[in-house]
Every structure is written in C-alpha cells, then in structure tokens.
Amino acid sequence: MKKNMPPTEHQQNNFDFIRVVAAFCVIVSHQFALAGLREPSVLDVHSIGGFGVLVFFSISGYLVSKSWEADPNAFRFLLKRFLRIWPGLAVVVLLAALVLGPLVSKLSLHDYYFHPLIGEYLKNLQFNLRDELPLAFDGNTLPTAINGSIWTIPIEVKCYALLGLLGVTGLLRSRWVIATLTALVVIAYAVVEPRGDSLMAVLKWRPEQRFALEFSLFFFAGVLFHQLDVQASVKRQRWALALCLCAALIANALHRPLLSLWLAVPMTTLLFGTASTACIRHTGRYGDVSYGLYLYAFPVQQTLFWLYKDKLSWPVLLGLVSAITWCLAFASWHLVEKMALRLKPGRSTPIDVTPMVAVCLMIFVVIR
C-alpha cells in the first residue's frame, strides 16, 4: 500500500541535500581554521563556511515565508519556529556545559559546576550568545572556543521575528513592498560600496552586526523568491536565473562581490532546491541531519584536535569528525528534533494567547 502513496513535498525536492552540503562547507571551513590554516573563501567575501551559512539563510527565508502563508497566525508561527530551532540547540548547549566541559576543564567538578561562567553560557538557551566556559582545549588554535557555529542562530531567530511582524502588519502580502524595502537596503549596503563600509561607520556597527545584516539580506532574498513565485513555471525560472546570473557577473566586474553573491546564490540554491532530482531528493529519507551537523561539528572538531592533532593527519581527522558528527546529528534528529516537531500546532489548534502578545514577543526579539 505504501508504494502507491504519493510522495510528500519533503521527498520531492532537493533541499535536504543542499542543507547537508552547506553544513559540510561549514565543517570543512572550521577544519581549516582549527588547524591554523587560512579558510578558503568565495570571492574573498565569505569563507566557504560563511558561504554555507548564506545558503542556509536563503533556504530558510523561502521555507519560512511559505510557512507563514500557509498559516498566518502570529503565535502558531512563533511556536513552530521555536520548536524547530530551540530543542536541538538546548541539548547541544547542555551537553557542552555539563558533559564536555568537565572533561576538558582543569577545575574540580565542584568548582567547575559552580563557576559563574556556567550560568553565563546557559544564556545561549535564551538565544543570547555566549561562547566561554571555564575550560581550555590546550594546544588548539582556538583554545577557549566551545561552539563556533551557533552564533548565527540568534540572527536567524531575528529574521523569523521580522518576517512575522511583516506578516502581521500585512506588508508581507505586498510582494512589491518587500522587494522595494530589500532593494533599498541592498543599494545602501552593497551597490554604493562593495560592502557598506561608510554605512557601517555611520551606524558604528561591530563586525558581527555586519554579518547579521548580510545574512538577513540572503534570508529576504529567499522570501522574495517565494513572494514573486519564481518557481511557478519553467519559463519564469529560466528568465529569473538568466537575469540574476548576468547581473551577478556585472556586479563582480564592477568589484561588488557581495552583491554578486546576493544575486546568484539564493536564485541558484532555490531553483535547485525546489527541483526534484533522482537520488538527490532522497537525501533526507532517514532524517534531516543538516541542523545537527551544524550544531555538533565544532565541539567534535575541538575535542578531536585536542586529542589527536599530533597523531592524525588533517584528512583523517576530517573523516573522523564527519563520521562522529553525522552519528550525533542522526541521534539529534530522531531523539530531539523530530520529537519536538510533533508538537507543532496545526491550523485548527486553538490559541489562547492574544495576537498582541505574539507581536510584542516578535518586537522584543528584533530589537534586543
């Protein structure tokens, strides 16, 4: 009977494959950094790990805007996003603080667990980034780094909240309003200058705020892909791809590499993601491990470099990192993420919280 059932949308597209490739881009990039080597870059704008994050944000913008359109309820929207992001993050944060930390720290168990940095690190559970514990991976290139990947998660959460606010105000229904607002930011940041240096100076933004803006631009490129319904027909796809790639080539020739990436990456990623390619579309058949790969790779890399950097070659370490991280990601999906997603509310789920409370939560997340 199962053989005659139509495949689900999840099984029909290539997004699982792309997300896994993007996660491995991050792993490989960090492997270079933790070995004290220069990370390979794309157009000298982002490392290949940063490139992977741009891909993640492009996909996220597209899928999350689809989710809002399917169920434009502010509180259910927030709850769905929370259930997708927080449970997996919570487990990796707790494992780092309570299990990995004591094994690496030179402090006694009592002194470690009652150290003030433990409470600070647990603020990651509030999407308030902290990356310091009372430990050190002695001999590693980045001895105090615990998880160099999760700093992008608060940025993504803010993108969710901003999208929700646009949805609640009705602006999300106007594709040209979103397109115009996004274009204005792109012009101010990546057209007038290669990377908005004057804007950054005027706003007095720190480097991490620069990355937050850039990742958000790719997120909203994904939103625009959905709003403009680019995938509606093969003809529209071909025209959109041709225009974006030609514009990207021109932008690169004019020394606007970030603009070039913004024009090319979301469009190619989402056109390939919405396609259905034999074999590739079955990547997530046994679970969506991409988020787990992103969450667990860095702690695994730090630990293995700490233990074996003088005993194993770089390629062997990378293979060992990949295998262990894949196992942890598989467990994360089946034991944590998938279980949490079963709690997602449907359109018929009664909501007792007033919409204003949800809106206030969104505003708090955006401005914090």
Side-chain angles (χ1 to χ4, degrees), residues 230-242:
V230 175
Q231 74 278 17
S233 67
V234 174
K235 183 179 180 180
R236 185 177 295 189
Q237 290 177 26
R238 289 173 177 171
W239 272 107
L241 182 62

Side-chain angles (χ1 to χ4, degrees), residues 56-134:
F56 274 127
F57 271 78
S58 300
I59 295 173
S60 183
Y62 169 72
L63 294 178
V64 172
S65 61
K66 281 189 68 176
S67 175
W68 173 267
E69 183 179 73
D71 183 14
N73 176 279
F75 190 75
R76 284 198 296 265
F77 176 80
L78 281 178
L79 186 56
K80 289 174 185 177
R81 306 284 71 76
F82 178 82
L83 289 171
R84 182 64 188 101
I85 291 290
W86 190 82
L89 173 66
V91 171
V92 77
V93 166
L94 292 173
L95 287 175
L98 306 180
V99 179
L100 178 60
L103 297 175
V104 180
S105 178
K106 295 178 181 178
L107 299 177
S108 67
L109 287 178
H110 178 274
D111 290 344
Y112 175 84
Y113 283 122
F114 287 91
H115 197 284
L117 285 177
I118 300 298
E120 281 295 305
Y121 187 76
L122 293 179
K123 288 183 179 179
N124 283 301
L125 300 177
Q126 303 170 344
F127 302 112
N128 194 352
L129 181 66
R130 296 290 189 276
D131 195 31
E132 189 175 357
L133 285 171

Side-chain angles (χ1 to χ4, degrees), residues 55-325:
V55 170
F56 274 127
F57 271 78
S58 300
I59 295 173
S60 183
Y62 169 72
L63 294 178
V64 172
S65 61
K66 281 189 68 176
S67 175
W68 173 267
E69 183 179 73
D71 183 14
N73 176 279
F75 190 75
R76 284 198 296 265
F77 176 80
L78 281 178
L79 186 56
K80 289 174 185 177
R81 306 284 71 76
F82 178 82
L83 289 171
R84 182 64 188 101
I85 291 290
W86 190 82
L89 173 66
V91 171
V92 77
V93 166
L94 292 173
L95 287 175
L98 306 180
V99 179
L100 178 60
L103 297 175
V104 180
S105 178
K106 295 178 181 178
L107 299 177
S108 67
L109 287 178
H110 178 274
D111 290 344
Y112 175 84
Y113 283 122
F114 287 91
H115 197 284
L117 285 177
I118 300 298
E120 281 295 305
Y121 187 76
L122 293 179
K123 288 183 179 179
N124 283 301
L125 300 177
Q126 303 170 344
F127 302 112
N128 194 352
L129 181 66
R130 296 290 189 276
D131 195 31
E132 189 175 357
L133 285 171
L135 55 82
F137 293 94
D138 292 337
N140 283 17
T141 303
L142 303 172
T144 61
I146 312 303
N147 198 331
S149 298
I150 62 174
W151 69 275
T152 65
I153 293 176
I155 300 173
E156 185 160 6
V157 171
K158 290 191 176 195
C159 287
Y160 295 162
L162 183 55
L163 182 85
L165 284 174
L166 291 171
V168 169
T169 58
L171 290 175
L172 203 58
R173 290 196 297 269
S174 177
R175 62 184 66 180
W176 297 114
V177 169
I178 302 299
T180 301
L181 291 174
T182 305
L184 289 174
V185 178
V186 170
I187 290 169
Y189 185 77
V191 176
V192 176
E193 292 185 302
R195 211 170 176 187
D197 291 333
S198 297
L199 182 63
M200 294 295 100
V202 170
L203 297 175
K204 297 181 179 179
W205 278 7
R206 300 182 301 275
E208 58 268 26
Q209 292 172 303
R210 176 195 293 273
F211 286 121
L213 177 58
E214 291 180 5
F215 295 158
S216 300
L217 286 174
F218 281 76
F219 179 90
F220 279 94
V223 174
L224 281 175
F225 184 95
H226 172 62
Q227 294 295 97
L228 299 175
D229 204 16
V230 175
Q231 74 278 17
S233 67
V234 174
K235 183 179 180 180
R236 185 177 295 189
Q237 290 177 26
R238 289 173 177 171
W239 272 107
L241 182 62
L243 288 172
C244 281
L245 291 182
C246 287
L249 290 173
I250 294 171
N252 193 50
L254 295 174
H255 307 293
R256 298 294 185 269
L258 180 68
L259 177 61
S260 182
L261 286 177
W262 186 79
L263 289 164
V265 172
M267 183 61 67
T268 53
T269 296
L270 295 172
L271 283 178
F272 183 61
T274 53
S276 181
T277 306
C279 298
I280 288 177
R281 63 173 176 257
H282 298 302
T283 300
R285 182 176 181 180
Y286 299 106
D288 180 4
V289 298
S290 56
Y291 187 44
L293 290 173
Y294 190 79
L295 290 175
Y296 284 93
F298 199 95
V300 171
Q301 288 172 303
Q302 278 287 62
T303 304
L304 291 182
F305 267 98
W306 180 56
L307 293 172
Y308 300 116
K309 68 178 182 298
D310 297 325
K311 300 175 183 178
L312 299 176
S313 65
W314 190 92
V316 172
L317 266 176
L318 178 60
L320 191 58
V321 163
S322 301
I324 294 174
T325 304

